[in-house]
């Protein structure tokens, strides 16, 4: 068995790419659900994805107006939906 060693910068780059891939995968699954189960068309799905993109900037932006903890609490309080996440990593 061959072992390959990676430089720390390579690991960081691969981690970044993997994160983008996972987000892309989840967006595809979400859009598939909207299309397959709710029969949404192009315009509604497009508006939804644009809304997600805009509001994720509130979370990911430099000022961090909204935290994942805020979103989590809102979903639990308002609709009883609890999505597990690592609270230490995702403040």
């Amino acid at each position: 068995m061959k072992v390959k060693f990676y430089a720390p910068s390579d690991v960081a780059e691969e981690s970044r790419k993997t994160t983008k891939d996972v987000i892309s995968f989840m967006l595809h699954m979400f859009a598939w659900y909207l299309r397959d189960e709710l029969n949404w068309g192009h315009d509604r799905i497009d508006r939804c994805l644009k809304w997600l993109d805009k509001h994720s900037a509130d979370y990911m932006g430099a000022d961090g107006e909204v935290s994942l903890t805020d979103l989590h609490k809102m979903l639990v309080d308002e609709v009883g939906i609890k999505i597990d996440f690592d609270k230490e990593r995702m403040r």
Side-chain angles (χ1 to χ4, degrees):
M1 174 161 109
K2 289 186 177 183
V3 175
K4 184 174 181 180
F5 293 96
Y6 293 92
S9 61
D10 295 334
V11 172
E13 177 65 16
E14 189 60 32
S15 177
R16 185 187 66 75
K17 287 179 182 178
T18 299
T19 300
K20 288 180 77 170
D21 289 345
V22 169
I23 292 169
S24 178
F25 174 76
M26 292 306 298
L27 286 172
H28 279 81
M29 293 298 295
F30 183 64
W32 182 21
Y33 169 80
L34 295 175
R35 178 66 186 147
D36 203 46
E37 293 293 320
L38 302 181
N39 202 32
W40 283 21
H42 172 272
D43 293 346
R44 290 177 84 186
I45 293 173
D46 188 53
R47 279 195 313 269
C48 179
L49 293 175
K50 285 178 180 172
W51 186 94
L52 289 169
D53 188 49
K54 177 189 179 302
H55 286 79
S56 68
D58 293 340
Y59 170 70
M60 299 298 289
D63 51 0
E65 296 174 19
V66 180
S67 72
L68 184 55
T69 303
D70 296 335
L71 296 174
H72 179 81
K73 184 173 178 356
M74 181 272 299
L75 287 171
V76 170
D77 292 348
E78 293 183 15
V79 292
I81 298 293
K82 183 175 182 183
I83 302 170
D84 293 325
F85 69 100
D86 186 332
K87 292 178 183 168
E88 289 301 312
R89 289 176 35 97
M90 301 298 289
R91 291 184 206 164

